[in-house]
Amino acid sequence: MYAPFLRQGRRRGLVLALSLLVGGSLMTACGSSGEPAATTQAGQSPASSAGTAGGLIAIITPSHDNPFFKAEADAAKAKAEELGYETSVASHDDDPNKQSELIDAAISRSAKAIILDNAGADASIGPVRKATDAGVPVFLIDREINATGIAKAQIVSNNSQGAQLAAQAFVEAMGSKGNYVELVGKESDTNASVRSKGFADVISQYPDMKSVARESANWDQQEAFTKMETIIQKNRDIQGVIAGNDTMALGAVAALKAAGLLDKVVVVGFDGSPDAIAAIKAGEMHATALQPAALAATSAVEQADEFIKTGKVSKDEKQSIDCELVTKDNADEFGVFARK
Amino acid sequence: MTATNAVLAAREVTKVYGGTQALKGVDFDVAAGRVTALFGENGAGKSTLMKILAGIEQPTTGHVELDGRPARLASSRDAADQGISIIHQELSLCPNLSIQDNLFLAREVRRPYGAVDRRAEREATIAVLRTLEEELDPDTPVADLRLGQQQIVEIARALLQEARVLIMDEPTSALTAPEVEVLFKVIRDLTARGVAVVYISHHLDEALEIADDVVVLRDGRLVATAKAGDVDLRWIVAQMVGRDQDALFPDREALAGDEVLALRDLVVADPANPDRLAVNGVNLTLRAGEIVGVYGLMGSGRTELLEALAGRIPPASGEIRLGGEPLSGTGIRERIERGVVLVPEDRQRDGLVQTMTVGENLSLAGLYKFVRRLFVSQERERGAVERVIADVTVKTAGAKAPIGSLSGGNQQKVVIGKALLTDPRVLLLDEPSRGVDVGAKADIFQLMAAQARRGLAVLFTTSEAEEALHIPDRLLVLARGVVVGEYRRGEINREELMSVSDGAAIGGAAR
Amino acid sequence: MTSTSSRPVAETVQPERAAATARRLSLLNVAFELRAFIALAVLIVVFSVLSDSFLTVPNLITMTKHVAINAVIALGMLLVILKGGIDLSVGSIVGLSGVVAGELLGGLNLGFADLIAYPPVWVVIVLCMGVGALVGLVNGILVTRFKVAPFIATLGMLYVARGLALLISNGATYPNLAGDPELGNTGFGLLGSGRPLGLPTSIWIMIALAAVVALLLTKSPFGRWLYATGGNERAAELSGVPIRRVKTVVYVISGACAAIAGLIIASELTSAAPQAGETYELNAIAAVVIGGAALSGGRGTVRGTLVGAFVIGFLADGLVILGVSTFWQILIKGAVIILAVMLDQGQQRLKRRGAAASAVAATRQPDRPHQQ
């Protein structure tokens, strides 16, 4: 059913949460859910009792309610503690202002390095420069900023390559012809347009592939479900759905299932979320492009470690990590945003 | 008084608020260089008329004339620009700002490049305060002033505008006697310079002293005008109340039955200021079929007394018994079910739900009587509502009419009808005649008498001496939360009543 | 020299004319009352002309199914708004309810007995509604007992409930809520995909809930109390209305309604995400407001709220069918909401004018009950 490692944690969460709600200790509940920054002393963890000599690495990502960012932060934290650093993990919730405050906090705590999944390509330039000027090197993961020479590294997954990979699998599964629907992410988000363009680069080479609808579902499952149902009302003659992320792809799967069309329609997503991999195994989705979030995060920490110890970085600033295609054939090889 | 030297005049002015007609075709002249005193009971339309003359309200029909020509006063600012200023009954100062900033609010003295000329403002402030013989620092925040000083600031603001017409709506309610004298001196100076002054005050003698012309409003109509020297207080009161004064009050025999409600040493803290006792040890028994009146001015504790009886505010100590059973610890709802119901003083704020119909308002308090299983039996509700509309003689298009379509008097009857629909044993009414016209007043008093005949115990409050003397079988005079006198009907006259309540107020102040 | 004048009052407004004005205004009023219906009719006509696939039975059913989710939340919101409050926490309750369903269907670990319980679906549904009601109860207690402004209290609970959903789920989605025949907890999916008598379950739920709420509002004493409390809390209190209980209960019902919506969503997707329902509170408020309810309380109907939900839902789906860009969809939705509220203001002004005209007519004919 579901990954066992999540199970236990969740159940503890339920008991805790319900007892808080019933007990009326709302302040506690508020504090524990509303407080994004959780500092862990490396010394507390027996695996890395080597000491705090390494100093602090601050890990700042978007909200952990998206498992992708959680996986990325977890991987970075694990790697840093393995290398003997203290860590502080915080979420900026895509709020540039909050991101700036978190960076200020890292500077004032004399962090050795910041691992950052930033809150905006332009809005983040200033805070990154501020940290660099204060002598705290910044290593960017997952998202780029619109400036070079400030951050020590910008390690992003290759969205364009991933999208082309997914689109290629999509076209092949459809036999290079038929009517398809595209569900786009939040249209103000760069990744949404990069992925959409990647899809188009491939699909446009096949003249028999016909787009019958292109709708934004804002990365959201319920919205994808509703839009897909409406699109089906307009046109039942659909052979494929390609979505900008797995969440929307799963929404489309639910709508297609309800309409009895799922066995005739190829669904392809993006991200490689555990839910999507489960759906691929169950035969409900055809494929997804997995972003190796953990790989980028681990690599960023390794490069930070190198810089702290030697004062140099050996790799180029801009690095891209290729996405991997997940299909039924290789689904068993993948874990949470990483190869097992 | 002739129309020729009228600076400002109202011509056939009518004003309707929601369903209440506050003014019914009023012609009113204000003469230059004279003080026109305007008299009338609460709700006669004095304040409404002044608001129209000062541009704060617009007449529903009719118009305002300035120097004999029709004028449009779109706002108080507009009126001020045309030389009309008003001193409000309710203070309209910003407590967080200083005296100086209040005086020049929205009329700041500007330097050529737009900045505020604070020095010029300061000099003007000091000068005007000196005229009023009030030595105050212009930088003092208004919040730090006592009420009387705030009223002086309000007056100073009107003086600064150098108006041709100055309207004073209750300017002295918080002033001490020496301050009133200074104000009168200032008013004389103004009229000597040709300024027209309109003066409204509850202190009839004071208003008559300063007045040149006397105008009386009753029930939204202008009923009398005279030269101040030709009339006395008696005449003014007669005009204010109307000649049908005797018809206002029903004839009745007191027929007291069994004791229904008894209070022992009731003490109630002031909800707005818990350190103060609003009601301080009141004892009272109320018998079936009896009408008992409580005469008291604002702040005497009359409202708190009735609200404590109705269960709205818990008493600090003392005992309330209904038919021998203690009522303590019960809420409003339970008391209504046991037969104690209150008709509140402010019907807009506490009495009516404006978004509901006449019928829904009437049945609100007694709704529990019509519940069958889970639902309200509409048949029974409709029957009861129609009966009560007939009983309390509400003039309405029907139970489904919006409550806002009724006149003030009929709205008050709806509030009373709502209380009667609960089949009470004790009917409490807080100033039931406030803000209703004379006809409705008579109806309401008849209604109270009729309910008493049916065996209800009626307890009501009033601040009108005439009502206090004529309506109740027994009258309690309440001052500063203490009963200072108790009289049967006819045992006391107007002058004695005044001296008892004033004396108690002064005595209370000295305690 | 005393001159007493009891002059006759000038007839500035003819009673006949005032009565006629009142009549004309009340006709206009009817048009305004129906404005939401008119808006809905206009939408249907426009979309039918522009697209062949709009006005078909299957599409109408699909759109109604989409409307149902918002309508279920909006019916609860209506009660809160009638009271003069607002409930911002409903969107988070949608997410929380789905997550609790996911957790329960995955098995409830009874730590003390070292057992995992798999409650049947009906128990899950009742428990989820209970959780929604519980959040509502907290809202109600905050508002009535601790005198926190409804906006603030429910804003706080918006975060608390969302936080709880994330805590319970650890941020992850519950991917498979189909249940297991061996454990006897199957059937959850029927809530979202079942079609009793040819209509999706969620539409039946909407119809049933609307009937219950309408009955509550128009026939029960509670409904009358609610309208009175929203119209004038002080007057209601003095009339013996238990205002605290009324105010608390509306939040409880609103929370339970939101929980039902959360269950429908989770069932449709057969998966539950802790982020589900974000900003749904705004759609629900919009539906209630378009339906003619006053945010100040005391005014609003079930019929209006349903029509409001249909306007929003049909607008959204219609624009998708036409293939209008997302950005325009957002803009048009906003414009419709503003337009609806502006019409409402117009209606209130008309009503006041109507009342004034009636009053003038009435005082001119003091002996007859006035005609409207």
Side-chain angles (χ1 to χ4, degrees):
Chain A
M1 284 245 305
Y2 205 71
F5 74 94
L6 280 177
R7 235 183 182 174
Q8 201 185 359
R10 267 195 277 121
R11 207 155 285 128
R12 226 183 301 123
L14 177 67
V15 173
L16 165 79
L18 285 180
S19 63
L20 287 178
L21 187 60
V22 173
S25 325
L26 295 165
M27 297 316 293
T28 326
C30 202
S32 59
S33 65
E35 177 58 67
T39 307
T40 315
Q41 295 291 329
Q44 288 172 345
S45 142
S48 56
S49 53
T52 52
L56 176 73
I57 288 183
I59 300 158
I60 304 170
T61 68
S63 172
H64 290 189
D65 64 15
N66 184 329
F68 179 85
F69 299 120
K70 187 165 170 14
E72 157 184 292
D74 288 348
K77 179 171 150 59
K79 187 72 193 173
E81 289 180 359
E82 182 193 318
L83 292 172
Y85 293 95
E86 209 182 318
T87 55
S88 96
V89 179
S91 157
H92 56 59
D93 296 334
D94 282 305
D95 174 356
N97 184 42
K98 194 169 169 197
Q99 169 180 274
S100 176
E101 289 168 13
L102 290 170
I103 288 177
D104 286 341
I107 295 170
S108 69
R109 294 179 63 190
S110 316
K112 294 285 184 218
I114 297 173
I115 309 295
L116 175 67
D117 188 345
N118 71 72
D122 292 306
S124 303
I125 298 173
V128 171
R129 177 171 290 137
K130 180 169 62 181
T132 309
D133 291 350
V136 183
V138 181
F139 296 80
L140 297 176
I141 52 174
D142 181 44
R143 300 171 181 173
E144 294 177 314
I145 57 172
N146 289 337
T148 50
I150 308 171
K152 294 289 171 269
Q154 304 196 32
I155 310 165
V156 299
S157 40
N158 195 333
N159 273 293
S160 182
Q161 169 266 347
Q164 290 178 16
L165 205 59
Q168 198 60 51
F170 182 61
V171 170
E172 279 165 20
M174 283 180 67
S176 306
K177 66 176 192 319
N179 294 334
Y180 74 96
V181 172
E182 182 187 351
L183 295 173
V184 189
K186 195 179 231 150
E187 291 194 75
S188 51
D189 190 328
T190 326
N191 277 346
S193 51
V194 169
R195 290 176 194 177
S196 183
K197 187 172 174 302
F199 294 155
D201 287 346
V202 173
I203 298 174
S204 62
Q205 295 167 21
Y206 299 89
D208 292 337
M209 296 283 292
K210 287 206 172 56
S211 167
V212 291
R214 182 178 182 275
E215 278 292 330
S216 166
N218 289 314
W219 306 125
D220 182 82
Q221 191 172 6
Q222 170 65 13
E223 193 167 340
F225 175 79
T226 307
K227 293 242 161 113
M228 196 63 216
E229 280 203 323
T230 303
I231 291 165
I232 292 169
Q233 285 307 320
K234 187 178 164 189
N235 187 355
R236 282 182 75 88
D237 185 18
I238 296 167
Q239 286 78 43
V241 177
I242 189 161
N245 75 351
D246 285 338
T247 315
M248 294 191 292
L250 289 167
V253 165
L256 291 165
K257 206 193 272 178
L261 290 175
L262 187 58
D263 50 345
K264 300 184 201 92
V265 180
V266 175
V267 181
V268 168
F270 198 107
D271 277 349
S273 76
D275 301 340
I277 291 175
I280 289 169
K281 286 180 189 166
E284 294 179 338
M285 262 175 78
H286 176 67
T288 183
L290 181 134
Q291 294 196 75
L295 193 59
T298 333
S299 168
V301 173
E302 282 165 354
Q303 291 175 42
D305 180 51
E306 180 194 358
F307 182 81
I308 293 164
K309 289 183 174 142
T310 68
K312 285 196 298 263
V313 280
S314 56
K315 292 192 179 169
D316 290 341
E317 181 185 340
K318 292 255 188 186
Q319 304 161 39
S320 77
I321 297 183
D322 281 349
C323 298
E324 296 194 56
L325 188 71
V326 183
T327 60
K328 200 164 190 171
D329 299 336
N330 66 355
D332 288 334
E333 298 163 24
F334 292 90
V336 183
F337 297 106
R339 273 189 181 275
K340 275 179 184 161
Chain B
M1 184 162 102
T2 54
T4 45
N5 64 348
V7 205
L8 181 66
R11 290 283 170 259
E12 292 182 0
V13 163
T14 306
K15 179 70 189 177
V16 179
Y17 291 109
T20 314
Q21 215 177 353
L23 292 175
K24 302 168 181 168
V26 171
D27 283 311
F28 179 69
D29 295 327
V30 183
R34 293 177 76 85
V35 178
T36 307
L38 187 57
F39 294 94
E41 293 193 277
N42 284 337
K46 295 170 303 206
S47 290
T48 308
L49 180 59
M50 291 308 106
K51 280 179 182 163
I52 287 172
L53 289 181
I56 299 164
E57 300 272 4
Q58 303 304 314
T60 308
T61 64
H63 65 272
V64 174
E65 279 179 8
L66 195 60
D67 298 323
R69 278 185 303 278
R72 224 186 92 72
L73 307 173
S75 65
S76 60
R77 182 68 193 267
D78 201 6
D81 290 345
Q82 301 185 51
I84 305 160
S85 47
I86 183 165
I87 297 165
H88 291 275
Q89 187 174 354
E90 303 92 13
L91 293 174
S92 59
L93 301 171
C94 302
N96 55 330
L97 299 182
S98 70
I99 296 177
Q100 177 180 331
D101 289 345
N102 265 292
L103 290 185
F104 289 93
L105 191 62
R107 279 183 291 272
E108 290 81 4
V109 180
R110 300 290 179 88
R111 289 179 191 277
Y113 48 89
V116 175
D117 187 347
R118 297 196 59 86
R119 189 183 305 166
E121 284 189 356
R122 193 180 171 85
E123 281 162 10
T125 304
I126 292 170
V128 73
L129 288 176
R130 193 169 297 140
T131 326
L132 289 164
E133 298 182 14
E134 197 74 26
E135 299 294 331
L136 290 169
D137 181 355
D139 292 332
T140 317
V142 162
D144 293 351
L145 302 178
R146 63 183 172 78
L147 205 59
Q149 289 172 323
Q150 292 187 15
Q151 209 155 36
I152 286 171
V153 173
E154 184 90 42
I155 294 167
R157 180 159 72 171
L159 292 182
L160 270 176
Q161 293 173 30
E162 296 179 356
R164 293 194 298 147
V165 180
L166 182 58
I167 299 167
M168 297 183 162
D169 193 354
E170 296 282 351
T172 60
S173 56
L175 297 190
T176 61
E179 283 169 340
V180 172
E181 265 176 45
V182 174
L183 178 64
F184 280 7
K185 211 165 73 192
V186 173
I187 291 176
R188 298 269 176 246
D189 283 352
L190 290 172
T191 49
R193 281 191 274 145
V195 174
V197 175
V198 182
Y199 193 92
I200 300 177
S201 176
H202 262 106
H203 304 285
L204 305 185
D205 43 356
E206 180 190 295
L208 191 57
E209 183 193 331
I210 188 77
D212 298 310
D213 297 313
V214 171
V215 174
V216 184
L217 279 183
R218 183 172 71 230
D219 211 4
R221 291 192 166 87
L222 192 150
V223 292
T225 59
K227 292 267 181 288
D230 298 337
V231 298
D232 59 6
L233 276 180
R234 248 186 113 76
W235 179 86
I236 291 171
V237 171
Q239 295 302 326
M240 280 166 59
V241 179
R243 269 161 302 190
D244 50 355
Q245 186 178 0
D246 294 336
L248 202 54
F249 307 120
D251 284 332
R252 65 185 301 273
E253 291 295 315
L255 24 86
D258 296 339
E259 179 180 308
V260 183
L261 190 75
L263 315 187
R264 275 242 310 280
D265 296 327
L266 190 74
V267 177
V268 182
D270 185 350
N273 175 13
D275 291 339
R276 198 181 81 93
L277 293 180
V279 176
N280 192 358
V282 167
N283 290 289
L284 167 68
T285 53
L286 202 57
R287 296 174 181 281
E290 192 182 29
I291 299 181
V292 173
V294 173
Y295 176 76
L297 301 173
M298 283 269 265
S300 62
R302 56 185 154 100
T303 298
E304 290 82 357
L305 174 65
L306 292 202
E307 290 193 343
L309 290 180
R312 178 174 204 157
I313 29 183
S317 68
E319 197 182 36
I320 307 171
R321 282 176 176 273
L322 178 70
E325 305 271 317
L327 269 185
S328 54
T330 55
I332 298 173
R333 186 174 160 71
E334 194 173 344
R335 290 192 195 189
I336 288 176
E337 284 176 14
R338 286 169 65 173
V340 181
V341 65
L342 169 67
V343 174
E345 176 181 7
D346 187 333
R347 63 173 171 271
Q348 300 299 338
R349 197 185 59 178
D350 298 328
L352 297 170
V353 180
Q354 294 293 347
T355 47
M356 293 172 104
T357 65
V358 171
E360 287 167 338
N361 268 290
L362 278 169
S363 65
L364 187 57
L367 200 62
Y368 65 94
K369 290 180 181 300
F370 316 123
V371 178
R372 277 273 174 86
R373 292 204 192 92
L374 286 175
F375 300 120
V376 178
S377 158
Q378 302 209 315
E379 208 175 311
R380 296 212 278 172
E381 182 189 358
R382 199 183 311 127
V385 163
E386 267 157 23
R387 245 188 336 274
V388 99
I389 286 178
D391 279 357
V392 299
T393 62
V394 179
K395 275 180 211 139
T396 169
K400 288 202 157 53
I403 193 75
S405 67
L406 303 192
S407 70
N410 280 305
Q411 291 188 0
Q412 182 72 343
K413 287 181 190 170
V414 169
V415 182
I416 296 173
K418 175 173 76 173
L420 291 178
L421 207 141
T422 65
D423 255 333
R425 298 167 68 191
V426 178
L427 181 62
L428 310 167
L429 304 106
D430 198 0
E431 289 258 19
S433 67
R434 201 182 86 160
V436 304
D437 60 34
V438 176
K441 238 179 229 183
D443 286 351
I444 287 168
F445 296 143
Q446 294 287 358
L447 207 65
M448 283 161 58
Q451 294 304 324
R453 267 198 299 278
R454 281 185 47 222
L456 263 72
V458 179
L459 178 66
F460 81 105
T461 68
T462 178
S463 54
E464 302 278 343
E466 292 303 317
E467 280 176 36
L469 294 171
H470 289 91
I471 311 287
D473 304 329
R474 219 152 32 100
L475 176 70
L476 274 64
V477 181
L478 194 67
R480 302 198 157 243
V482 178
V483 176
V484 294
E486 184 172 345
Y487 310 92
R488 308 220 140 260
R489 192 190 351 242
E491 270 182 7
I492 186 171
N493 63 30
R494 189 186 170 97
E495 285 70 31
E496 286 164 344
L497 179 62
M498 293 295 178
S499 77
V500 167
S501 74
D502 282 357
I506 294 161
R511 254 205 318 240
Chain C
M1 275 292 284
T2 304
S3 72
T4 307
S5 68
S6 300
R7 52 184 112 163
V9 180
E11 293 283 292
T12 42
V13 176
Q14 299 299 318
E16 295 77 20
R17 251 179 48 204
T21 312
R23 253 195 314 277
R24 205 171 57 243
L25 289 175
S26 73
L27 262 179
L28 254 172
N29 239 328
V30 172
F32 266 119
E33 294 286 1
L34 292 174
R35 71 189 182 284
F37 280 104
I38 294 169
L40 186 59
V42 168
L43 278 182
I44 291 175
V45 169
V46 168
F47 285 129
S48 308
V49 168
L50 293 177
S51 166
D52 291 340
S53 44
F54 185 83
L55 204 64
T56 62
V57 172
N59 187 48
L60 287 176
I61 291 175
T62 303
M63 289 196 300
T64 307
K65 189 177 131 192
H66 296 163
V67 165
I69 290 170
N70 187 26
V72 165
I73 304 173
L75 285 168
M77 183 70 75
L78 169 68
L79 299 184
V80 178
I81 286 178
L82 277 178
K83 181 224 84 175
I86 195 131
D87 190 350
L88 299 179
S89 65
V90 289
S92 298
I93 295 175
V94 167
L96 180 61
S97 156
V99 163
V100 171
E103 183 69 28
L104 293 174
L105 288 167
L108 186 63
N109 195 348
L110 303 171
F112 50 88
D114 204 18
L115 278 172
I116 295 181
Y118 291 91
V121 168
W122 70 267
V123 173
V124 171
I125 290 172
V126 169
L127 286 177
C128 287
M129 286 175 62
V131 167
L134 202 61
V135 176
L137 183 66
V138 174
N139 279 329
I141 289 171
L142 287 173
V143 170
T144 54
R145 254 201 111 69
F146 297 100
K147 309 280 178 224
V148 182
F151 189 95
I152 306 298
T154 59
L155 181 68
M157 290 308 287
L158 177 153
Y159 291 112
V160 171
R162 183 68 67 194
L164 287 173
L166 289 164
L167 269 177
I168 294 169
S169 65
N170 204 16
T173 302
Y174 295 81
N176 186 0
L177 302 185
D180 189 337
E182 282 179 24
L183 299 170
N185 63 351
T186 52
F188 185 69
L190 287 178
L191 210 53
S193 56
R195 284 185 163 243
L197 303 176
L199 283 182
T201 321
S202 54
I203 295 183
W204 290 116
I205 292 175
M206 171 179 76
I207 292 171
L209 201 62
V212 169
V213 174
L215 217 57
L216 191 71
L217 285 182
T218 55
K219 304 281 182 207
S220 78
F222 178 83
R224 202 70 70 76
W225 293 345
L226 177 55
Y227 278 108
T229 307
N232 186 346
E233 194 177 315
R234 294 176 63 105
E237 188 191 6
L238 268 183
S239 301
V241 173
I243 53 171
R244 270 194 179 185
R245 204 195 318 159
V246 169
K247 287 164 81 174
T248 309
V249 166
V250 292
Y251 287 104
V252 171
I253 296 178
S254 175
C257 285
I260 294 174
L263 288 168
I264 296 173
I265 291 173
S267 169
E268 279 178 346
L269 299 172
T270 58
S271 78
Q275 306 92 328
E278 268 171 16
T279 73
Y280 279 25
E281 58 278 357
L282 301 181
N283 274 333
I285 294 169
V288 175
V289 168
I290 290 177
L295 283 180
S296 50
R299 203 158 53 81
T301 60
V302 167
R303 196 187 51 192
T305 299
L306 283 182
V307 174
F310 271 94
V311 167
I312 288 187
F314 277 23
L315 184 69
D317 282 356
L319 291 174
V320 169
I321 284 187
L322 293 186
V324 174
S325 115
T326 320
F327 299 156
W328 275 108
Q329 291 180 22
I330 296 170
L331 189 148
I332 291 170
K333 182 164 144 191
V336 166
I337 293 171
I338 294 171
L339 205 68
V341 177
M342 274 166 57
L343 280 172
D344 196 53
Q345 297 288 328
Q347 181 192 11
Q348 292 312 304
R349 239 190 329 271
L350 267 183
K351 268 200 177 147
R352 278 195 295 275
R353 277 224 312 263
S358 311
V360 171
T363 42
R364 297 292 185 250
Q365 304 155 286
D367 299 323
R368 275 182 280 153
H370 66 269
Q371 309 293 314
Q372 273 210 299

